[in-house]
Amino acid sequence: MKILVIEDEQALLESILAYFMGEGNICEHASDFVAADEKISLYSYDCILLDLGLPGGEGLALLTKLKQLKKRDGVLIISARHSLDDKLMGLDLGADDYLVKPFHLSELKARVSAIIRRKNFDGNNEILFNEITVDVSAMKITVKGKQVILTKKEFDLLVYFLSNRNKVVTKNAMAEHLWGDEMDLSDDFDFIYTHVKNLRKKLIEAGSADYLRSVYGIGYKFGEV
Amino acid sequence: MKLSNRYNKANILTSIVVLIITGIIYYVVIHFILTEKLDRDLAVEENEINQYVNTYHKLPLPANYLDQQISYKTLNGINPEREFLNTIYFNPKERESEPGRSLVTIVHLDGKTIAVTITKSRVESENLIRIILLITLGITVVLLLSLLLINRFVLNRLWRPFYSILNRMKAFEVARMDTIEQEPTKIDEFNELNKSVNAMAERVRQDYKELKSFTDNASHEMMTPLAVINSKLDSLLQTESFTEQQGALLEDIYHATGKLSRLHQSLLLLAKIENNLIPDFQQLELKEMVAVKARQFQELLEKNKLTLTADLSPVKVTMSRYLADILLNNLFSNAVRHNITGGHIFIKLDQRSLSISNSGKARQIQTKIFDRFSKAVDSDGMGLGLAITKQICNLYGFRIDYQEKNGAHTFTVYFNVELSS
């Protein structure tokens, strides 16, 4: 995947880049409006992460520019502005998704993956991981060609893990992904455990390897054993 | 006590006292004058009798005429003083006893001492006094009535600008940024009041604006470091070479950061609702939303072994879907959070209201339950959920109510304020 991160906060930019690096991803970055404008005009990306408040210009203007250039880059807006207007305007201008700061990197990755999947494989939306195949649009999962029946939550969880493979995903991030961040149940994410346990059991029963590991009680990691 | 009542009371009391005193003085003086006049008439009569006696050396005939009686009595030895006195005499014309004024005087005739009693009717003067008294009383009553009327109508009209200013002040909400309109009046005091009130409102509004922009800016500035902390934590976690102890520390930090960002988002949301910055109005099928929300909370209900009973009828409300979702979220979270293991939640939705009732510990809940950062001592929430809920209700003209009865805590949202009371 080729990704452009447009973000003026250096520390945040570094974290995002570090998280997205590897697995054959190419990440470029721009820290101000002019640099971003230049990169957008010159190159094409699978996904652009766009911060709205940029030095030298308004991030939304870049969206208009992309539209003018008739580019098909996926765009995910990351903004500190938790404003519905901004969100609607961004989506109207052709952004694919909108994420409000502060966010979990795993959530960011999951959203970016979703955007790229939608862009690149129109209709044929599949994730492959060793013996596991996930058809996201049909919500179908097969392990070694055999179909596994999962609940909606388990399915979402699996897709989330697959987007963040080999990363530690916190329970907090998982809960927010599955139930939305408005749920406000602060500290109580134990009920996630049930879903993870069931998912793991079903996958193993279907003949997959045990890819899920609990990490320090904070979260889980899905990846090569 | 109202100012006009107070004024009325003082006014009327004084008037009554003054009028009574005037009446008494009036009565006494007129009485005195009339008695004087009668006495003078009696003296004239006495004089005439004396002249008659001196001229003709005999007594005039004891005559009864024109409310006047003269009688004679020969005295033996006793020498009474000449005196005026009030008597009752028989008026043959009217055939009844009447009050009279008598003059007893002495006439010496042929060496005899004769007591002459001249009596005149007092009826007329009494009548006069009575009439005067009645007129005085009448005037008193009319005066009092007119005072009352004046107070009632004129004072009320005079004070009208004051009350209208008062009402506008009551309706003034600093967050709404509206002005207190000028009430046109010719009265200087009220104009001044109006001006002062407006100046004060302006000052309050200015202060509020500054405070608000400070909060807004502070929130925004807080967002970036928070985002950095969050992302750095996520990155740190990936390095994965922690001991169990370090893992626990990390979890705590996650915890605190999560709480901080939620707190932050809640505050921003509150500010936004207060400033009515969430304009997306639409008609919502509330029943459906409640059902969806109940499904969303399924895991939590199961975890706490709670039973949920719902009695829902189709209800349409016009509000933002986003805020409706938050409203339901907060009410549900609240019902779950403050429940007891194995407890129950009962939801009822009808045209009038939505009420969510949950079992819980019986406790004294402060009236400040809807205030920001007010929460139960053992609650791990932020204390903003209900404040947000209340704000959302305010925004759409709903009314939210809390009741506790035998350990059942019930929140009721009335969709129409008029119908609720």
Side-chain angles (χ1 to χ4, degrees), chain B residues 4-269:
Chain B
S4 58
N5 285 356
R6 185 77 186 252
Y7 175 78
N8 261 350
K9 210 170 150 186
N11 213 350
I12 287 169
L13 267 178
T14 326
S15 310
I16 288 175
V17 168
V18 167
L19 284 169
I20 286 175
I21 291 172
T22 325
I24 291 169
I25 292 172
Y26 223 53
Y27 177 83
V28 170
V29 168
I30 287 173
H31 199 266
F32 178 75
I33 289 171
L34 286 176
T35 313
E36 275 294 278
K37 186 181 168 286
L38 265 179
D39 290 355
R40 259 203 315 280
D41 286 353
L42 288 172
V44 166
E45 205 62 39
E46 178 197 21
N47 206 17
E48 274 175 13
I49 291 173
N50 278 337
Q51 276 179 7
Y52 190 92
V53 170
N54 285 340
T55 313
Y56 300 102
H57 297 283
K58 64 172 186 182
L59 286 167
L61 287 172
N64 289 348
Y65 53 90
L66 281 177
D67 305 328
Q68 178 176 318
Q69 282 184 339
I70 298 170
S71 60
Y72 306 104
K73 199 172 165 196
T74 311
L75 294 171
N76 299 317
I78 323 145
N79 238 353
E81 299 258 316
R82 178 178 180 264
E83 61 173 350
F84 290 100
L85 33 90
N86 287 333
T87 50
I88 289 173
Y89 81 108
F90 183 78
N91 184 339
K93 208 166 79 190
E94 306 280 343
R95 291 174 193 285
E96 60 184 12
S97 295
E98 281 181 357
R101 180 83 176 162
S102 301
L103 168 63
V104 181
T105 184
I106 314 288
V107 175
H108 298 280
L109 183 71
D110 308 331
K112 278 188 284 181
T113 310
I114 298 161
V116 183
T117 309
I118 312 164
T119 308
K120 267 183 177 282
S121 170
R122 262 194 307 141
V123 168
E124 261 171 56
S125 61
E126 289 288 321
N127 275 347
L128 199 60
I129 287 175
R130 200 170 299 138
I131 284 167
I132 288 170
L133 202 68
L134 278 178
I135 288 174
T136 317
L137 270 178
I139 288 174
T140 311
V141 170
V142 168
L143 204 66
L144 286 180
L145 269 179
S146 53
L147 259 177
L148 268 177
L149 286 180
I150 285 174
N151 286 348
R152 202 180 178 88
F153 294 108
V154 176
L155 268 185
N156 269 1
R157 224 188 37 219
L158 277 179
W159 280 100
R160 200 176 296 152
F162 174 79
Y163 285 113
S164 96
I165 294 173
L166 203 65
N167 279 336
R168 283 173 196 187
M169 278 168 76
K170 274 187 202 151
F172 177 71
E173 255 179 60
V174 69
R176 272 219 312 268
M177 294 287 156
D178 49 359
T179 49
I180 298 177
E181 268 169 59
Q182 285 276 344
E183 171 77 18
T185 163
K186 284 184 188 136
I187 296 167
D188 289 347
E189 281 89 341
F190 291 142
N191 274 330
E192 192 151 329
L193 177 69
N194 219 332
K195 256 187 240 149
S196 312
V197 163
N198 268 326
M200 197 188 70
E202 189 49 49
R203 232 171 22 243
V204 168
R205 209 174 296 124
Q206 198 56 40
D207 287 355
Y208 179 77
K209 234 189 228 163
E210 273 165 30
L211 196 67
K212 199 164 67 77
S213 76
F214 170 77
T215 320
D216 281 359
N217 290 337
S219 310
H220 265 123
E221 292 310 313
M222 249 165 69
M223 191 71 98
T224 315
L226 248 178
V228 172
I229 294 174
N230 235 352
S231 69
K232 292 293 170 195
L233 268 175
D234 281 347
S235 306
L236 179 63
L237 203 60
Q238 309 308 329
T239 58
E240 227 193 309
S241 51
F242 300 118
T243 62
E244 196 70 25
Q245 198 190 359
Q246 283 169 323
L249 287 175
L250 262 179
E251 188 169 10
D252 286 348
I253 300 175
Y254 256 114
H255 218 90
T257 341
K259 205 161 181 172
L260 194 57
S261 23
R262 267 195 308 280
L263 178 68
H264 181 252
Q265 268 161 23
S266 302
L267 283 175
L268 275 182
L269 179 67

Side-chain angles (χ1 to χ4, degrees), chain B residues 292-303:
Chain B
V292 168
K293 199 46 74 185
R295 272 203 297 285
Q296 259 183 41
F297 274 78
Q298 199 54 50
E299 281 90 359
L300 276 178
L301 297 177
E302 279 164 16
K303 183 176 163 277

Side-chain angles (χ1 to χ4, degrees), chain A residues 7 9-16 18-19 79-85 88 100-107 153 166-173 176 178-191 195 213 215-219 221, chain B residues 220 223-224 226-228 230-232 234-235 237-238 240-244 246-248 250-251 254-255 258-259 261-262 264-266 268-269 272 277-280 295-297 299-300 303-304 320 322 325-326 329-330 333 336-337 380-382 385:
Chain A
E7 167 65 61
E9 181 63 41
Q10 207 57 36
L12 189 56
L13 178 65
E14 280 166 21
S15 302
I16 295 175
Y19 199 86
S79 170
R81 281 180 264 178
H82 198 298
S83 147
L84 208 65
D85 279 347
L88 293 177
V100 177
K101 288 181 194 171
F103 46 75
H104 297 282
L105 289 176
S106 50
E107 180 66 28
K153 290 250 154 59
N166 295 319
K167 302 279 185 199
V168 179
V169 179
T170 58
K171 282 191 279 191
N172 200 323
E176 280 184 22
L178 292 185
W179 285 278
D181 58 347
E182 308 291 353
M183 198 149 159
D184 183 23
L185 291 158
S186 46
D187 328 321
D188 198 4
F189 299 120
D190 290 347
F191 53 90
H195 291 289
R213 271 198 301 122
V215 181
Y216 317 125
I218 303 176
K221 182 168 170 177
Chain B
H220 265 123
M223 191 71 98
T224 315
L226 248 178
V228 172
N230 235 352
S231 69
K232 292 293 170 195
D234 281 347
S235 306
L237 203 60
Q238 309 308 329
E240 227 193 309
S241 51
F242 300 118
T243 62
E244 196 70 25
Q246 283 169 323
L250 262 179
E251 188 169 10
Y254 256 114
H255 218 90
K259 205 161 181 172
S261 23
R262 267 195 308 280
H264 181 252
Q265 268 161 23
S266 302
L268 275 182
L269 179 67
K272 236 174 276 167
L277 290 177
I278 302 173
D280 112 79
R295 272 203 297 285
Q296 259 183 41
F297 274 78
E299 281 90 359
L300 276 178
K303 183 176 163 277
N304 295 312
S320 152
Y322 175 58
D325 195 60
I326 291 172
N329 241 332
N330 287 344
S333 305
V336 172
R337 195 199 298 274
D380 52 1
M382 290 184 295

Side-chain angles (χ1 to χ4, degrees), chain A residues 83-154:
Chain A
S83 147
L84 208 65
D85 279 347
D86 273 358
K87 186 169 179 174
L88 293 177
M89 196 185 287
L91 296 179
D92 258 5
L93 285 172
D96 296 271
D97 208 345
Y98 188 103
L99 193 57
V100 177
K101 288 181 194 171
F103 46 75
H104 297 282
L105 289 176
S106 50
E107 180 66 28
L108 183 67
K109 186 85 187 294
R111 302 251 188 142
V112 169
S113 304
I115 290 174
I116 292 175
R117 274 202 311 275
R118 279 205 299 273
K119 290 270 169 198
N120 290 358
F121 316 96
D122 301 287
N124 184 22
N125 198 341
E126 274 190 349
I127 311 172
L128 298 173
F129 181 76
N130 294 351
E131 63 270 33
I132 303 173
T133 310
V134 179
D135 184 341
V136 180
S137 37
M139 283 188 68
K140 218 168 102 182
I141 290 151
T142 48
V143 175
K144 292 177 182 162
K146 208 165 70 189
Q147 191 175 345
V148 183
I149 307 296
L150 294 182
T151 65
K152 174 85 171 59
K153 290 250 154 59
E154 288 160 5

